[in-house]
Amino acid sequence: MNIKASYNDLGDGIIHLDAEYLKPGIASVYLLMEGNECAIIETGTNHTVPFILSALTELGLNEDSVRYVIPTHVHLDHAGGVGSLMTSCANAELIIHPFGARHMIDPTKLAAGAKAVYGDEAFERLYGELIPVDASRVIEAPDNFEISLGGRNLRFYDTPGHAKHHFCVHDIESDTIFSGDTFGIAYPGTHVDDEPLTFVTTTPVQFDPEAMHSSIQRLLDINPKAFNLTHYGQVKPTQKVAKQLKDSIDMFVKIAKQSRDLRDDRVEAMNQQIQQFLLKQYRQLGGLESDQFCLDIIAMDSKLNAQGLDFWLSKKQ
Ligand SMILES: [Zn+2]
């Protein structure tokens, strides 16, 4: 197999790897290395696993070096590859939020939920078969749980809002937090100078605006040196980033509430408004690329956010 992983070294023993999900630059996997041990934070999908294994080899490690596999939550762009990766890495234990554990041990429901959203054909193409993980290899990490990777401490924070089964991982050594989807999305293409266009993700089916506000504030109060986002790469917790995250929650809720009574095309109506809001944010940062350039980068998440807001409205109605 001729697989070449695309990764870069962030320093402090942290490697940022492209998950090759949909296209390059969408989703990240992080390798945390300490001595001859390694933790893998996020797995991407089954299709990502060969890239992870290839990167391990290039870095002078191997499958047996992997001590922990740590998806931040069980959405499939983060955890779809867990079962295959655990099969390859015989010494690894899976660390997962207590609400996500059962879905890793028996992924039937997780697969059914994703098939309902994407359809059988797309599910098969995007994710393939979800492989169960033996319960004896699963460690549940409740709030403030700590574990050591070769003497390097990792602390876990329960951070609901995007999903109830979401935690963030604080690497105390580098003082950076692996934030999954909790600290929003910021694609490098929409960075303006060093300030990223940043917005929260309201993906179906557990968006909770109050919980999201609290989780983001908690992460800001911890004030780490940087956040390692899954979508995509490292960002600093600047005041502009913090404000954009909070404003985006409030704006998405406002868009949803204003669209509540629409019967047809509610998702598309919200999608359009989200796009306009994000374009405005991009201009406020001083972004000079064309609208189309920016929309090409944010379109997928805008649509997912609209779908999540639609689901949130339906739950409330
Ligand atoms: Zn997610």
Side-chain angles (χ1 to χ4, degrees):
M1 197 164 22
N2 209 352
I3 291 263
K4 181 94 176 91
S6 167
Y7 64 86
N8 63 312
D9 189 341
L10 301 179
D12 292 321
I14 303 171
I15 302 290
H16 176 240
L17 176 81
D18 196 285
E20 310 285 341
Y21 178 64
L22 307 175
K23 58 183 181 182
I26 299 287
S28 311
V29 170
Y30 292 94
L31 274 55
L32 192 58
M33 305 191 299
E34 185 64 39
N36 52 8
E37 290 194 337
C38 172
I40 298 174
I41 300 175
E42 312 291 36
T43 67
T45 69
N46 281 324
H47 306 303
T48 310
V49 173
F51 292 95
I52 297 175
L53 299 179
S54 159
L56 286 173
T57 307
E58 282 191 50
L59 292 161
L61 299 169
N62 59 44
E63 288 90 335
D64 294 336
S65 321
V66 180
R67 187 74 192 82
Y68 303 118
V69 171
I70 312 179
T72 57
H73 61 302
V74 304
H75 288 164
L76 294 179
D77 47 333
H78 302 254
V82 162
S84 336
L85 191 60
M86 292 292 289
T87 304
S88 295
C89 304
N91 295 332
E93 290 177 289
L94 174 69
I95 306 183
I96 188 84
H97 190 287
F99 293 157
R102 65 193 174 97
H103 296 296
M104 299 284 94
I105 295 164
D106 176 6
T108 316
K109 263 192 170 173
L110 198 58
K115 280 178 188 168
V117 175
Y118 296 101
D120 285 359
E121 187 275 323
F123 176 87
E124 188 56 41
R125 179 167 38 83
L126 287 172
Y127 305 114
E129 190 193 354
L130 303 183
I131 298 169
V133 178
D134 196 286
S136 66
R137 300 177 69 191
V138 176
I139 299 173
E140 294 185 15
D143 194 30
N144 289 317
F145 180 77
E146 291 199 23
I147 206 155
S148 158
L149 174 75
R152 182 173 183 145
N153 268 7
L154 303 178
R155 188 179 299 148
F156 294 75
Y157 304 121
D158 180 24
T159 53
H162 172 78
K164 288 185 179 134
H165 44 86
H166 199 308
F167 58 41
C168 292
V169 188
H170 192 174
D171 170 38
I172 307 297
E173 173 96 4
S174 65
D175 193 21
T176 65
I177 292 181
F178 298 87
S179 54
D181 285 347
T182 299
F183 204 71
I185 287 177
Y187 293 112
T190 50
H191 283 36
V192 180
D193 299 323
D194 279 341
E195 286 291 346
L197 173 69
T198 314
F199 57 100
V200 297
T201 158
T202 64
T203 313
V205 291
Q206 294 183 335
F207 171 55
D208 176 342
E210 287 83 26
M212 191 177 273
H213 263 297
S214 315
S215 292
I216 288 172
Q217 191 55 53
R218 182 178 181 194
L219 294 173
L220 287 167
D221 289 344
I222 293 164
N223 194 27
K225 280 191 192 140
F227 287 93
N228 304 309
L229 309 187
T230 302
H231 316 285
Y232 179 92
Q234 202 165 59
V235 305
K236 300 264 187 318
T238 64
Q239 284 189 348
K240 279 187 185 170
V241 165
K243 182 168 185 338
Q244 287 185 79
L245 285 171
K246 292 174 184 173
D247 287 352
S248 66
I249 302 175
D250 296 341
M251 182 53 81
F252 295 157
V253 166
K254 187 174 167 192
I255 288 170
K257 286 183 173 167
Q258 284 173 347
S259 310
R260 185 180 340 207
D261 296 329
L262 294 178
R263 279 293 158 264
D264 301 322
D265 290 337
R266 186 163 76 179
V267 171
E268 188 45 32
M270 291 192 288
N271 182 22
Q272 290 299 325
Q273 292 179 72
I274 292 168
Q275 290 186 2
Q276 289 315 308
F277 166 71
L278 294 176
L279 277 175
K280 207 173 113 200
Q281 295 286 86
Y282 177 65
R283 297 290 169 227
Q284 275 178 3
L285 283 174
L288 295 174
E289 300 287 351
S290 68
D291 283 6
Q292 196 53 51
F293 175 89
C294 193
L295 288 174
D296 282 346
I297 296 173
I298 61 168
M300 182 184 71
D301 292 287
S302 173
K303 179 83 181 288
L304 271 170
N305 273 10
Q307 290 169 332
L309 293 172
D310 185 63
F311 193 89
W312 177 69
L313 283 173
S314 306
K315 270 200 297 195
K316 284 162 68 85
Q317 277 167 346

